[in-house]
Amino acid sequence: MNRPKPFSMIREFHLADWFTLANAVCGVGALFSVMSFLQTRGIFHIYFACALISAALVFDVLDGRIARWRQRSSAMGRELDSLSDVISFGVAPAVIAYGCGMQGLYDRLVLGFFVACGVSRLARYNVTAESLSDDAGKVKYFEGTPIPTSLVLVWLMAVAAWQGAIGEQLWFGFTKIAGFTLHPLVLLFALSGSLMISRIRIPKL
């Protein structure tokens, strides 16, 4: 019986997979930055978190291009990509929104819905990618908006932080429903999540 070599899984990674992992690391770094902000209230931590999500998008784009350039892809690479995207474009934007002040009960429910939509969107893509591919193996279109579109919300949070519109100064204020808090701004996350799980067809460039 042949024993697997040390670090055999890492040895099987393609070049594109390392860029995918860099995407995930950026997402985790953004989470750490938000936690640092909640501890220290240093606004630069929010800026840094938003910048890391922007960097994650760069790595996300590069991993696909490198895979096509080298004509080397794998089922593992596709799973790595989805898991990384969940962190960087699902969980991290929701946590950034929470750090910026969307901390009411309804806010948390909406942010949880947003993340669940992102996870569902990626799962649907993974199971339908083969049927949506053309003869060359390239996916012709997305169903639902891609999860990296959440970067728009991240940039919005960066602008809010720059203008001091976070915490109690969050744009559009807040409202009380049955004694619990809702910040209307969080509804943009509900909209984003709903578009992800929609059947809208978006051509893949």
Side-chain angles (χ1 to χ4, degrees):
M1 181 177 178
N2 294 327
R3 297 182 62 183
K5 295 180 179 180
F7 306 108
S8 58
M9 183 184 73
I10 295 177
R11 292 169 184 267
E12 294 172 2
F13 281 178
H14 300 308
L15 177 61
D17 297 334
W18 293 104
F19 282 81
T20 304
L21 291 174
N23 169 4
V25 170
C26 286
V28 173
L31 297 176
F32 290 155
S33 291
V34 175
M35 287 187 277
S36 295
F37 169 73
L38 292 173
Q39 287 181 317
T40 67
R41 309 309 294 182
I43 196 65
F44 67 91
H45 290 299
I46 292 295
Y47 299 149
F48 192 53
C50 295
L52 282 171
I53 301 305
S54 299
L57 179 65
V58 174
F59 287 119
D60 188 45
V61 171
L62 287 176
D63 69 7
R65 294 192 175 185
I66 289 171
R68 288 190 293 273
W69 167 55
R70 293 173 61 90
Q71 296 184 341
R72 300 188 70 179
S73 60
S74 64
M76 183 175 184
R78 186 172 66 189
E79 296 302 319
L80 281 174
D81 186 67
S82 292
L83 292 170
S84 298
D85 284 355
V86 165
I87 298 170
S88 296
F89 308 116
V91 176
V95 172
I96 290 172
Y98 179 88
C100 286
M102 300 179 209
Q103 300 173 5
L105 174 62
Y106 297 117
D107 300 334
R108 300 181 193 198
L109 292 174
V110 170
L111 294 174
F113 168 79
F114 166 78
V115 173
C117 287
V119 172
S120 300
R121 163 66 175 75
L122 290 166
R124 181 175 67 184
Y125 174 78
N126 284 352
V127 300
T128 61
E130 186 173 345
S131 62
L132 295 177
S133 300
D134 57 21
D135 294 337
K138 183 178 179 180
V139 176
K140 296 172 288 187
Y141 60 85
F142 294 109
E143 281 192 339
T145 53
I147 191 172
T149 55
S150 65
L151 183 61
V152 174
L153 298 174
V154 171
W155 288 339
L156 187 67
M157 293 297 96
V159 173
W162 176 64
Q163 293 187 349
I166 59 175
E168 295 182 355
Q169 285 74 46
L170 201 62
W171 290 327
F172 308 117
F174 67 92
T175 185
K176 291 281 188 177
I177 303 175
F180 298 104
T181 301
L182 169 72
H183 290 88
L185 188 60
V186 81
L187 297 179
L188 290 177
F189 284 83
L191 175 62
S192 177
S194 298
L195 289 174
M196 289 180 198
I197 59 174
S198 70
R199 289 291 181 179
I200 297 173
R201 292 188 176 186
I202 299 177
K204 184 175 182 181
L205 300 177

